[in-house]
């Protein structure tokens, strides 16, 4: 892949100069959904699919962008002195956002760059193609300009760019999982203080299967920001009863005692999800540590039910995928992953059931929705690298 990227870069922008080729993964979250902006735990892992990028310094302040995923589009030009989000700028708003965020945080970008990307994560699928571009851009510029930024800081810069440049009030999970990924490990991250632990993913005799609904999801225009606001409001109401920093700091018992403070029943359900999902995540990681994959799977299923009934972020596509997965023998657990409202599901499937799973869930989905789902049997990979 490196050679292909390198060659295309030269064809496009001309030979000469030092061209760096890099890779940053996508991520899948195993459990802990919509908990990261509630001070709770998440349990994602980086994948071996992701985004490749090539970059070279320029001797002026111009920026040139190109994506091998959109070969029908021309090179897009911009400038370091014009780092503003634009509606029609498409994916270039992500690298531009990171450049803007670096400057906001006091890092100087001394010159413009030619940049080219190629991603093999299905776009808008909930596997964090945008966070992958953000972390990749930060990683490339950090290396190119010797900025001395740690991977954890790159994750925060990516999140900052997403929040402030691209207008999505996301938490830290995606950028953190990507920047800090480790082969064959998931990251048990406490978003309250960013303390984390790597947990080996030893799925003896089972695989992680991603089912992609092919319903595109734009976070910005989805109800993501609305859910976040609902949780914030619920927390404010609870704070009037007991002193607490976040919904993630509450046990189920504490929540049951104070939930009456949350006046609106819909908002109460949202808060309930945040509290219970966080506790479920802690239990799931314990289950994995003791090799209890059945319990881990059961908690994944409960996570989906909560996201479906209390948080209401699933929709017919994701419910169809998950509910048909649950019927397949050899499925240990299945749930939606990421923000929801379309995108993907993640399932833990016994090796000898994978083929049947793909056929069977694929068939049910096509029948219910009228179009196809795609399936990926994935591997857990490392964070960003220079190739
Ligand atoms: C998106 C956001 C994350 C997280 C998930 C839901 O992926 O970017 O920060 O909130 O949704 O768990």
């Amino acid at each position: 892949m490196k050679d292909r990227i390198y060659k295309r870069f030269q064809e496009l922008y001309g030979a000469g100069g030092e061209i760096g080729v890099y890779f940053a993964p996508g991520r899948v979250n195993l459990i802990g959904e919509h908990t990261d902006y509630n001070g709770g735990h998440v349990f994602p892992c980086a994948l071996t699919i992701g985004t490749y990028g090539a970059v070279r310094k320029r001797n002026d302040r111009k920026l040139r962008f190109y994506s091998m995923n959109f070969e029908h589009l021309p090179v897009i030009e911009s400038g370091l002195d014009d780092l503003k989000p634009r509606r029609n700028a498409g994916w270039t708003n992500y690298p531009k956002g990171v450049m803007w965020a670096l400057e906001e945080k006091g890092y100087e970008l001394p010159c413009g760059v030619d940049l080219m990307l190629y991603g093999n994560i299905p776009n808008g699928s909930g596997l964090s193609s945008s966070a992958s571009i953000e972390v990749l851009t930060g990683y490339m510029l950090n290396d190119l300009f010797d900025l001395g930024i740690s991977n954890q800081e790159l994750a925060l810069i990516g999140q900052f760019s997403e929040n402030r440049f691209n207008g999505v009030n996301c938490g830290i999970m995606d950028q953190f999982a990507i920047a800090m990924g480790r082969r064959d490990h998931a990251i048990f991250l406490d978003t309250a203080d960013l303390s984390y632990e790597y947990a080996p993913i030893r799925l003896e005799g089972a695989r992680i299967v991603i089912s992609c609904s092919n319903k595109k999801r734009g976070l910005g225009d989805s109800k993501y920001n609305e859910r976040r606001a609902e949780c914030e409001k619920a927390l404010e109401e609870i704070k009037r009863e007991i002193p607490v920093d976040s919904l993630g700091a509450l046990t189920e018992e504490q929540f049951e005692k104070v939930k009456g403070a949350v006046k609106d029943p819909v908002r109460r359900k949202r808060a309930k999800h945040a509290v219970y999902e966080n506790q479920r995540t802690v239990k799931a990681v314990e289950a994995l540590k003791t090799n209890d994959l059945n319990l881990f799977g059961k908690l994944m299923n409960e996570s989906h039910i909560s996201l479906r009934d209390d948080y209401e972020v699933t929709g017919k596509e994701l419910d169809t995928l998950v509910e048909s997965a649950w019927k397949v023998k050899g499925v240990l657990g299945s749930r939606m992953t990421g923000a929801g409202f379309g995108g993907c599901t993640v399932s833990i499937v016994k090796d000898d059931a994978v083929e049947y799973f793909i056929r069977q869930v694929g068939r049910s989905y096509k029948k219910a929705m009228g179009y196809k789902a795609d399936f990926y049997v994935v591997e857990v990979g490392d964070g960003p690298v220079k190739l």
Side-chain angles (χ1 to χ4, degrees):
M1 186 53 87
K2 183 182 173 189
D3 295 343
R4 220 179 112 199
I5 306 271
Y6 197 86
K7 209 166 137 239
R8 187 76 189 100
F9 188 95
Q10 286 190 320
E11 272 168 22
L12 203 64
Y13 295 130
E18 208 177 305
I19 303 166
V21 182
Y22 303 79
F23 171 79
R27 70 96 188 91
V28 65
N29 187 23
L30 298 176
I31 194 161
E33 216 66 82
H34 289 278
T35 47
D36 66 345
Y37 50 84
N38 283 309
H41 293 80
V42 290
F43 195 49
C45 48
L47 299 172
T48 52
I49 51 173
T51 319
Y52 294 84
V55 71
R56 182 174 62 194
K57 287 181 192 165
R58 296 181 53 88
N59 49 21
D60 55 19
R61 293 184 58 79
K62 256 196 209 163
L63 299 169
R64 290 198 292 179
F65 297 105
Y66 188 78
S67 165
M68 284 169 68
N69 293 84
F70 304 107
E71 291 275 13
H72 57 287
L73 297 178
V75 169
I76 300 163
E77 289 207 8
S78 183
L80 272 181
D81 302 312
D82 182 33
L83 292 175
K84 291 188 198 80
R86 296 208 195 284
R87 251 174 205 281
N88 56 3
W91 66 271
T92 66
N93 276 328
Y94 296 113
K96 275 162 72 180
V98 171
M99 293 172 187
W100 170 85
L102 283 167
E103 299 212 312
E104 282 289 304
K105 299 278 175 196
Y107 297 101
E108 200 202 333
L109 303 177
C111 61
V113 292
D114 289 334
L115 187 148
M116 190 192 82
L117 298 184
Y118 171 70
N120 56 9
I121 311 173
N123 277 338
S125 62
L127 301 181
S128 287
S129 51
S130 50
S132 177
I133 297 177
E134 287 158 2
V135 172
L136 177 70
T137 306
Y139 192 83
M140 294 199 291
L141 297 175
N142 186 31
D143 188 49
L144 194 68
F145 297 131
D146 237 337
L147 301 175
I149 310 173
S150 69
N151 279 21
Q152 182 163 328
E153 181 67 17
L154 285 177
L156 289 162
I157 288 171
Q159 182 200 17
F160 183 72
S161 76
E162 181 91 44
N163 293 167
R164 303 281 295 276
F165 195 88
N166 281 304
V168 181
N169 240 339
C170 67
I172 187 63
M173 171 170 74
D174 303 348
Q175 291 82 0
F176 199 96
I178 289 166
M180 305 295 283
R182 182 184 285 183
R183 199 186 165 78
D184 294 331
H185 289 75
I187 308 176
F188 181 42
L189 170 68
D190 184 348
T191 63
D193 57 8
L194 294 190
S195 57
Y196 63 96
E197 190 187 317
Y198 288 106
I201 295 290
R202 271 185 263 101
L203 301 180
E204 273 142 39
R207 306 294 305 265
I208 302 176
V209 184
I210 309 267
S211 312
C212 188
S213 70
N214 286 326
K215 183 190 180 203
K216 293 269 184 296
R217 169 191 60 79
L219 266 188
D221 42 65
S222 75
K223 295 199 168 283
Y224 186 90
N225 289 349
E226 185 186 297
R227 288 291 178 281
R228 184 169 181 156
E230 287 170 324
C231 287
E232 279 162 7
K233 182 91 201 283
L235 176 65
E236 256 173 51
E237 294 172 287
I238 292 173
K239 272 181 168 172
R240 286 182 211 135
E241 299 280 316
I242 47 164
V244 64
D245 288 337
S246 66
L247 294 177
L250 291 171
T251 62
E252 292 109 324
E253 295 73 28
Q254 284 170 324
F255 176 74
E256 291 303 328
K257 273 193 205 129
V258 296
K259 68 180 183 191
V262 184
K263 291 289 169 267
D264 178 60
V266 171
R267 197 157 58 234
R268 202 177 310 133
K269 286 203 298 185
R270 308 294 192 242
K272 177 179 173 215
H273 168 78
V275 172
Y276 278 69
E277 177 75 356
N278 178 45
Q279 298 298 332
R280 236 187 323 266
T281 307
V282 176
K283 287 179 202 152
V285 175
E286 275 310 307
L288 196 66
K289 280 185 184 161
T290 56
N291 247 325
D292 191 345
L293 270 189
N294 286 321
L295 178 57
F296 188 82
K298 189 170 159 272
L299 292 161
M300 284 176 77
N301 298 347
E302 285 173 14
S303 163
H304 186 83
I305 293 169
S306 176
L307 288 155
R308 183 189 67 192
D309 299 345
D310 288 338
Y311 219 61
E312 297 182 277
V313 292
T314 56
K316 183 165 181 208
E317 296 81 5
L318 295 173
D319 290 338
T320 302
L321 285 174
V322 166
E323 285 158 24
S324 31
W326 287 342
K327 290 190 194 130
V328 174
K329 200 162 162 258
V331 170
L332 299 171
S334 183
R335 56 180 290 275
M336 60 150 268
T337 184
F341 313 105
C344 291
T345 70
V346 56
S347 309
I348 311 284
V349 186
K350 290 213 170 125
D351 284 339
D352 54 8
V354 170
E355 229 173 88
Y356 180 74
F357 172 95
I358 294 175
R359 225 180 21 244
Q360 197 55 29
V361 177
R363 204 175 284 155
S364 311
Y365 190 75
K366 176 88 199 292
K367 194 164 163 226
M369 303 308 308
Y371 56 91
K372 270 177 64 227
D374 288 317
F375 297 89
Y376 304 84
V377 181
V378 294
E379 309 280 340
V380 178
D382 279 316
V385 279
K386 183 168 190 182
L387 299 174

